[in-house]
Amino acid sequence: MATNALSSALTLYGARTLTLEQAATQAGVSEAEFVRQLERRGIEVTEAERSAAFEGDHTARAD
């Protein structure tokens, strides 16, 4: 994951300049991974966005 691309996408999403889909694409990660990154940084994600992002994500996690 490219740190600069992720950082930029997080900032733009946090300012609501990009949608979740656009920001995840810019960061080069799945929407589900982008939501995880947002949550780790305390950036608000609506329940609707979170649900949509994880709807098709069946990645095994060891949280």
Side-chain angles (χ1 to χ4, degrees), residues 7-19 23 34 38 43-44:
S7 178
S8 174
L10 289 165
T11 299
L12 291 170
Y13 175 81
R16 301 299 190 221
T17 302
L18 295 178
T19 66
F34 193 72
L38 289 164
I43 299 171
E44 185 179 333

Side-chain angles (χ1 to χ4, degrees), residues 9 27 35 39 49:
V35 167
E39 291 175 339
E49 289 173 318

Side-chain angles (χ1 to χ4, degrees), residues 2 4-8 10-16 22-23 25-26 36 40 42 44-45 48 50 54-55 60 63:
N4 288 338
L6 176 61
S7 178
S8 174
L10 289 165
T11 299
L12 291 170
Y13 175 81
R16 301 299 190 221
Q22 291 168 331
T25 299
Q26 178 175 321
R36 285 191 278 274
R40 288 178 63 198
E44 185 179 333
V45 180
R50 188 179 199 296
F54 285 98
E55 191 172 89
D63 287 348

